Amino acid sequence: MIKILTILIIMFPLNLFSQGFEGLITFNISHSNIDSSKKEFDIMPSKLDFYISGELARVDQHTNIGIQTTIIDTLSKKHTLLIDLMDKKFGIILENLKDTNDIEKIRYTNETATFLNVKCKKAIINNLNLSNNRTSISTVYYTKEISNSYNVNFKELQGFPLKFEIVSGNIISDYTIVDYINKKIDPKLFEINKNTLTYTMEDFKALMRQ
């Protein structure tokens, strides 16, 4: 009996990813400011490509000054931000991504909507930032067809968001899915160049101050 349980425990994570979505999800991103007199969003991302395959994901954020890439390993819960700077390649290990100053409360509703033939449910997320005592509300449409282990914005959400809002300070960013493609993803897309210099965020900041 113990041997059977051991086999099941080993097989579970493999089945979790082998039965899930593999492909590319693309979002268009628009921004607005609570202060309507301020409309400078030149460096904000306008598009996001989300590649998923097995336990790995790659997020490419497109801005006017280039593409910012993050590689995600959902098994080790490791996020690596890739940056090209001064003709060098840097990899910054992002740790403790959950904001300990932020309290997230989710209210699930019975409302549904369909985006690119994917049926989603609606949730209302209330956030309280303890550092400034600010509250914000986000409307999220999510699917359970994709594991929430890839979800980088709403960790407690029971699914993967396909349309959502993120409130950061006075900026409201609206993410709308525009492409949802099931396809095999080249494993090389998740590889980190061997010449990449890897740092923690603290060490990278110290390096930039030198």
Side-chain angles (χ1 to χ4, degrees):
M1 184 64 179
I2 293 176
K3 290 184 179 180
I4 294 175
L5 287 174
T6 302
I7 293 172
L8 288 174
I9 290 170
I10 293 173
M11 289 180 63
F12 176 76
L14 298 178
N15 289 334
L16 172 66
F17 292 110
S18 65
Q19 296 173 6
F21 171 85
E22 179 176 11
L24 167 64
I25 303 170
T26 298
F27 297 87
N28 277 349
I29 312 171
S30 60
H31 308 278
S32 59
N33 198 308
I34 295 174
D35 181 351
S36 59
S37 66
K38 298 180 180 180
K39 299 181 180 180
E40 296 181 0
F41 306 116
D42 290 344
I43 64 172
M44 302 290 286
S46 58
K47 188 178 81 164
L48 185 147
D49 292 322
F50 208 117
Y51 300 88
I52 293 174
S53 180
E55 75 276 12
L56 299 174
R58 171 182 173 131
V59 181
D60 287 346
Q61 291 194 86
H62 299 255
T63 72
N64 288 339
I65 59 175
I67 299 175
Q68 178 178 291
T69 296
T70 303
I71 304 297
I72 302 169
D73 185 329
T74 61
L75 291 183
S76 66
K77 298 183 179 180
K78 180 179 179 181
H79 294 221
T80 306
L81 173 64
L82 303 179
I83 296 176
D84 289 337
L85 187 65
M86 299 178 292
D87 296 324
K88 293 183 179 180
K89 295 183 181 297
F90 296 92
I92 303 173
I93 307 301
L94 304 179
E95 299 174 315
N96 302 320
L97 293 180
K98 183 174 177 59
D99 189 349
T100 56
N101 289 321
D102 199 59
I103 296 177
E104 185 177 283
K105 293 184 179 180
I106 303 176
R107 179 170 63 87
Y108 295 97
T109 76
N110 293 323
E111 295 182 51
T112 62
T114 300
F115 302 95
L116 302 180
N117 297 319
V118 182
K119 188 174 181 179
C120 297
K121 291 186 175 182
K122 179 181 177 180
I124 306 297
I125 300 180
N126 291 270
N127 293 287
L128 171 61
N129 190 307
L130 299 179
S131 63
N132 56 24
N133 208 33
R134 278 190 176 183
T135 60
S136 62
I137 299 176
S138 298
T139 300
V140 179
Y141 289 90
Y142 65 96
T143 176
K144 291 189 176 183
E145 293 183 10
I146 303 175
S147 170
N148 68 343
S149 61
Y150 306 109
N151 187 351
V152 296
N153 293 302
F154 309 104
K155 292 297 185 182
E156 304 302 321
L157 185 68
Q158 296 175 5
F160 185 88
L162 293 184
K163 180 174 173 56
F164 57 97
E165 301 162 341
I166 294 178
V167 180
S168 179
N170 289 329
I171 305 295
I172 302 173
S173 300
D174 187 78
Y175 290 70
T176 302
I177 183 173
V178 294
D179 226 342
Y180 185 94
I181 305 172
N182 282 277
K183 66 175 184 178
K184 290 289 184 182
I185 301 296
D186 187 345
K188 291 183 179 179
L189 201 62
F190 307 104
E191 293 179 358
I192 297 176
N193 188 292
K194 63 180 180 181
N195 295 320
T196 299
L197 303 172
T198 304
Y199 296 87
T200 63
M201 179 61 79
E202 291 74 16
D203 289 342
F204 182 74
K205 289 180 178 178
L207 178 67
M208 292 299 100
R209 288 194 293 265
Q210 292 180 3

